[in-house]
Amino acid sequence: MNPRKKVGLVAHDNMKPIIVEWVKKHLERLKNHDLIATGTTGKKVEDATGIIVQRLKSGPLGGDQQLGALIAEQQLDMLFFFWDPLEPMPHDPDVKALLRLCSVYNIPVACNRATADFVVQGL
């Protein structure tokens, strides 16, 4: 198994500050891997940490689907998806499809900080 992992990052608007702080907390582990994120999340992580993030489209504009395609092509090893359970999601079908693909392809997915802390220890 390749020690360098392809790590997906996604966060809904209210969760972007939380994922940025989480990445900063785990920067020593994450900086040795390839980070791939939806547009705004990736920009915020880059700005806050200085590490390079491959940025896809914004989630509602197709970024979630781009991540799904990477999963289907076995080009993503894990996903950190901080979604806001208290806010309606206009692109809910895309979100559900992305989470479903993680299950279909056996991709570890963390949707909150507690789970993400456990998953990142595997890096």
Side-chain angles (χ1 to χ4, degrees), residues 1-6 31-34 77:
M1 189 180 288
N2 185 354
R4 188 169 183 92
K5 303 293 182 203
K6 292 184 180 180
K31 71 181 184 182
N32 297 315
H33 301 280
D34 298 322
D77 296 303

Side-chain angles (χ1 to χ4, degrees), residues 25-88:
K25 176 182 174 184
H26 296 286
L27 190 57
E28 285 304 307
R29 285 185 187 270
L30 293 170
K31 71 181 184 182
N32 297 315
H33 301 280
D34 298 322
L35 303 182
I36 304 166
T38 51
T40 308
T41 300
K43 174 94 169 93
K44 289 186 180 289
V45 168
E46 277 185 345
D47 290 348
T49 65
I51 59 176
I52 295 171
V53 178
Q54 178 185 340
R55 286 186 279 153
L56 306 173
K57 294 181 184 285
S58 172
L61 298 178
D64 294 338
Q65 292 179 337
Q66 287 178 300
L67 280 169
L70 290 172
I71 292 167
E73 296 295 326
Q74 299 178 357
Q75 297 297 312
L76 199 71
D77 296 303
M78 62 188 63
L79 180 67
F80 297 95
F81 187 172
F82 288 18
W83 60 279
D84 188 343
L86 301 177
E87 289 292 320

Side-chain angles (χ1 to χ4, degrees), residues 63-120:
D64 294 338
Q65 292 179 337
Q66 287 178 300
L67 280 169
L70 290 172
I71 292 167
E73 296 295 326
Q74 299 178 357
Q75 297 297 312
L76 199 71
D77 296 303
M78 62 188 63
L79 180 67
F80 297 95
F81 187 172
F82 288 18
W83 60 279
D84 188 343
L86 301 177
E87 289 292 320
M89 292 174 273
H91 62 293
D92 188 54
D94 297 336
V95 171
K96 286 181 179 169
L98 180 57
L99 294 173
R100 184 179 60 77
L101 284 170
C102 287
S103 290
V104 168
Y105 288 95
N106 203 30
I107 299 295
V109 59
C111 295
N112 59 50
R113 285 176 290 182
T115 306
D117 288 343
F118 280 105
V119 172
V120 78

